[in-house]
Amino acid sequence: MRKASRSAASILDRLCAAVKPGMNTLEIDELGGDIMSDFGVKSACKGYRSGHRIFPSYTCLSVNDEVVHGIGVKNRVLKDGDIISVDICIREDGMIGDNCRTIPVGNISSEVERLLRVTEESMYEGIKKALHKNRVGDVSHAVQRHVESAGFAVITNFVGHGVGHSLHEDPQIPNFGKTGTGPKFKKGMAICIEPMVNMKSSQIRMAADGWTALAVDGMPSAHFEHTLLVDEENAEILTFPDGFENADDFISHRMGIAV
Ligand code: MF3
Ligand code: CO
């Protein structure tokens, strides 16, 4: 899990660094596929089945009001002021690493900047509760509380998840809920915590492509995700990129504070 997660994080980091205004999302997806080959790993998204549908892209790329599971297409060209969620999910030596970050394209408004910051913070609030003998609802509640106290809305149609040999394992980890409820965590469980946050409405609708989820309020939507191991004192965040000694160094780089 550590190896697959480090690769997933390093691929995410490299791909995010390459995103520029004027690129289309098909190019970004193909670059993501190339970086995966450089790392000698396979996309866990491409070929993913949901009912009769098969996911066609290496990565999930969701622009502005696209919440999750966007597909790379030639006619979606990024422009200054957009945001894009880059979700990288790979398989290495039989194990899954899954992580996502929403990044600005050029200059974004201060309100959208706040959305990104609050969503990323809410992920870390949740991670703080992913401890041995705590319950799933403790994580869910921490995420929801942080998001709602900032005036934003958590999406209820999609959830975080257990992870390991398969992308989606038990338990489901909603971004809303009550403390003290739900399944109990145990040291060593591998989970993905992934808040998806809209500015106004928590509701989504499906795009015509059958995969892309759209915010019904039509406003920008953010998504951050880490893969981590539950532990006694502090969860062990596995998805930190090459160039960082440990997850704490990566978090202080991202958030500008020691967490
Ligand atoms: N991080 C996403 C998730 O946990 C990856 C989805 S892959 C897809 O759902 F193929 F379903 F898009
Ligand atoms: Co996930």
Side-chain angles (χ1 to χ4, degrees):
M1 288 304 295
R2 289 189 179 96
K3 190 172 173 198
S5 298
R6 290 300 304 278
S7 296
S10 303
I11 294 163
L12 175 63
D13 213 45
R14 262 178 63 181
L15 189 55
C16 285
V19 169
K20 299 281 176 311
M23 288 177 92
N24 67 62
T25 57
L26 181 62
E27 284 179 84
I28 299 171
D29 184 61
E30 286 172 346
L31 180 59
D34 291 346
I35 302 172
M36 289 176 191
S37 324
D38 285 353
F39 276 78
V41 303
K42 280 226 147 41
S43 167
C45 289
K46 200 174 178 70
Y48 181 90
R49 282 166 180 278
S50 171
H52 64 285
R53 294 180 197 281
I54 299 181
F55 194 76
S57 301
Y58 297 102
T59 64
C60 298
L61 301 169
S62 310
V63 180
N64 294 342
D65 62 333
E66 297 171 357
V67 177
V68 286
H69 304 158
I71 293 165
V73 285
K74 211 170 175 178
N75 63 9
R76 186 82 203 224
V77 179
L78 296 181
K79 56 183 195 315
D80 188 66
D82 285 346
I83 57 170
I84 181 169
S85 302
V86 180
D87 193 339
I88 299 292
C89 188
I90 58 106
R91 183 182 295 279
E92 181 170 15
D93 298 340
M95 304 308 287
I96 298 285
D98 184 10
N99 65 167
C100 177
R101 190 189 303 168
T102 304
I103 57 168
V105 181
N107 293 304
I108 59 171
S109 73
S110 57
E111 189 58 359
V112 176
E113 213 164 79
R114 192 171 73 90
L115 172 75
L116 301 191
R117 174 113 196 152
V118 165
T119 306
E120 189 165 11
E121 283 167 356
S122 76
M123 171 178 67
Y124 289 115
E125 291 303 313
I127 289 173
K128 279 186 206 160
K129 304 289 182 190
L131 302 176
H132 183 66
K133 290 188 174 162
N134 272 5
R135 290 181 185 272
V136 167
D138 300 330
V139 169
S140 305
H141 179 76
V143 171
Q144 180 176 25
R145 196 185 126 123
H146 190 75
V147 168
E148 291 181 353
S149 63
F152 298 131
V154 287
I155 284 144
T156 50
N157 295 62
F158 296 101
V159 294
H161 50 93
V163 63
H165 293 281
S166 308
L167 170 55
H168 295 136
E169 299 186 358
D170 287 340
Q172 293 198 345
I173 307 188
N175 295 306
F176 56 94
K178 286 195 169 74
T179 42
T181 66
K184 238 184 209 174
F185 290 120
K186 271 179 71 178
K187 184 179 163 76
M189 278 176 70
I191 59 172
C192 290
I193 293 185
E194 49 179 322
M196 289 151 267
V197 176
N198 283 354
M199 294 185 88
K200 282 215 170 95
S201 167
S202 63
Q203 299 306 301
I204 58 117
R205 64 188 173 86
M206 291 309 290
D209 65 20
W211 284 102
T212 313
L214 299 162
V216 293
D217 59 21
M219 299 174 81
S221 181
H223 179 202
F224 285 81
E225 175 176 28
H226 272 310
T227 300
L228 52 109
L229 296 181
V230 171
D231 208 336
E232 312 250 357
E233 301 286 328
N234 280 115
E236 180 184 341
I237 296 174
L238 301 184
T239 37
F240 64 96
D242 291 343
F244 293 91
E245 284 283 304
N246 52 49
D248 283 349
D249 284 357
F250 174 63
I251 297 165
S252 37
H253 159 79
R254 289 288 310 161
M255 310 307 284
I257 39 152
V259 180

